[in-house]
Amino acid sequence: QVQLVESGGGLVQAGGSLRLSCAASGNIFSINTMGWYRQAPGKQRELVAFITSGGRAIYVDAVKGRFTISRDNAKNTVYLQMDSLKPEDAAVYYCHAESTFVATRRDYWGQGTQVTVSS
């Protein structure tokens, strides 16, 4: 079992910044890739960025150059630094972890944290 606890969401003006944090606990040694997804009202949940256990980071085009995902393995925590925020970035952001334990792959999700961007 893996538990994910998110923090850092809030209200920010367009052009501002926020940093989201996601702390993992439980069977953290089973975790491979971690990432962030978001879901805006009336839309599907979409991938924002992910980072592998080796530190390779991938971003969707919509956030490239503005968002940075990082991972602190010693703290079992992933971050999403969001700069130059736009109104279209407003969504509930969810932390995700993919784990493999005894050859069984599982997905874990945080509770979500609201990001609101005012114009």
Side-chain angles (χ1 to χ4, degrees):
Q1 291 287 334
V2 173
Q3 296 80 45
L4 304 174
V5 179
E6 299 154 292
S7 61
L11 173 65
V12 66
Q13 297 181 80
S17 298
L18 284 173
R19 188 173 78 155
L20 307 182
S21 299
C22 174
S25 61
N27 191 9
I28 52 93
F29 299 106
S30 70
I31 296 173
N32 304 126
T33 301
M34 298 187 71
W36 291 92
Y37 290 71
R38 67 187 182 187
Q39 187 168 20
K43 295 185 177 181
Q44 298 281 86
R45 186 176 298 186
E46 64 178 0
L47 174 71
V48 177
F50 67 86
I51 185 167
T52 69
S53 59
R56 176 181 287 265
I58 302 295
Y59 305 88
V60 296
D61 289 342
V63 306
K64 283 182 179 177
R66 299 188 298 117
F67 290 12
T68 303
I69 188 170
S70 59
R71 185 170 184 168
D72 187 339
N73 289 325
K75 297 182 178 180
N76 304 314
T77 301
V78 294
Y79 306 92
L80 186 68
Q81 177 67 44
M82 304 185 293
D83 299 320
S84 302
L85 281 161
K86 303 175 179 179
E88 54 262 41
D89 295 319
V92 177
Y93 283 70
Y94 297 91
C95 181
H96 170 263
E98 179 272 326
S99 71
T100 301
F101 184 67
V102 196
T104 300
R105 179 169 292 177
R106 293 186 174 91
D107 295 299
Y108 297 92
W109 296 91
Q111 79 284 356
T113 184
Q114 178 71 53
V115 172
T116 303
V117 184
S118 64
S119 59

